[in-house]
Amino acid sequence: MLGLSGEVDDEDFLAMMDGIDPVDGTLLGTRHTDRTVRGFDVTCSAPKSVSVLYAVGDEHVRRQVLDAHDAAVAAALGWIEDHAHCRYRVNGEIWTVDADGLIAAAFRQHTSRAHDPQIHTHLVIANRVAAPDGRWLALDARTLKRDQRTISALYAAGLRAELTTRLGVRWKPVENGLAEMADAPTEVLAEFSKRTGPG
């Protein structure tokens, strides 16, 4: 709709976070203020065993892990987009309507703040969606907040399915929507999960 696709351009991204069409400079909806929310960060994070597999794997394994992760992230974003909506007033009544797509940038990272292996993607979703009447409105983020566990579980299930298909990975039992790889030694995961101090 806005002609944005492919690799994220810094200037385009900053314009979107300001609620401005990066192509023609028009304001998308009302102007942001210090009190408005410009966007939302949904993080899809792989289990530690998957991140360690990526860290120690050969080129083929690393590519398969990243492709599986990206496919699971795309599926999670698709679910968010399918459930996105906005609210506005019609003759004094508040209407909730489906949004016509989302504007999102995906930033994939491979390590945690402690520099341990940790594959994760930040999906930064702009707080502007197109309403059916053509206006640009704020995203009704109540679904994002309420369904965080659902989104996480969808990502995790997608990742498990992708890695089972691609690499034949087996899994430990799923607990709270998450599971580690069955053949990952606990001591290895522990070694890649702690901060290391100097000398």
Side-chain angles (χ1 to χ4, degrees):
M1 185 181 293
L2 293 174
L4 301 173
S5 64
E7 191 167 326
V8 177
D9 176 85
D10 292 351
E11 295 302 319
D12 290 350
F13 175 75
L14 293 174
M16 281 308 314
M17 289 295 101
D18 279 339
I20 296 170
D21 184 331
V23 176
D24 64 17
T26 59
L27 188 63
L28 301 174
T30 58
R31 186 170 301 282
H32 280 298
T33 69
D34 291 340
R35 300 182 65 186
T36 58
V37 175
R38 294 169 186 259
F40 305 93
D41 180 5
V42 176
T43 304
C44 297
S45 187
K48 180 57 69 176
S49 55
V50 173
S51 295
V52 171
L53 177 63
Y54 170 79
V56 301
D58 62 22
E59 185 176 335
H60 170 73
V61 168
R62 290 166 65 93
R63 182 76 262 152
Q64 293 301 315
V65 169
L66 289 184
D67 287 349
H69 169 76
D70 290 346
V73 169
L77 179 59
W79 187 90
I80 295 168
E81 190 168 34
D82 287 345
H83 292 81
H85 55 274
C86 54
R87 299 184 333 150
Y88 59 91
R89 291 187 182 276
V90 176
N91 298 324
E93 295 181 5
I94 295 179
W95 286 30
T96 301
V97 297
D98 290 339
D100 190 8
L102 292 177
I103 302 164
F107 299 94
R108 187 178 64 213
Q109 298 178 322
H110 304 100
T111 59
S112 70
R113 290 182 184 148
H115 304 292
D116 291 323
Q118 186 59 60
I119 297 172
H120 60 286
T121 294
H122 294 275
L123 288 171
V124 181
I125 301 171
N127 193 15
R128 285 293 179 264
V129 292
D133 64 4
R135 291 187 295 165
W136 288 90
L137 301 172
L139 175 67
D140 185 349
R142 292 176 301 173
T143 302
L144 279 179
K145 293 175 183 175
R146 185 184 65 233
D147 294 331
Q148 287 179 15
R149 292 182 110 182
T150 300
I151 296 165
S152 177
L154 286 168
Y155 160 76
L159 181 65
R160 289 192 301 273
E162 288 284 339
L163 286 174
T164 298
T165 300
R166 292 166 184 269
L167 296 173
V169 171
R170 299 179 315 123
W171 300 93
K172 292 181 180 177
V174 176
E175 296 180 14
N176 297 320
L178 306 174
E180 294 287 357
M181 291 170 31
D183 300 313
T186 305
E187 60 274 15
V188 172
L189 300 184
E191 182 63 29
F192 282 101
S193 299
K194 60 186 178 189
R195 296 171 186 256
T196 55

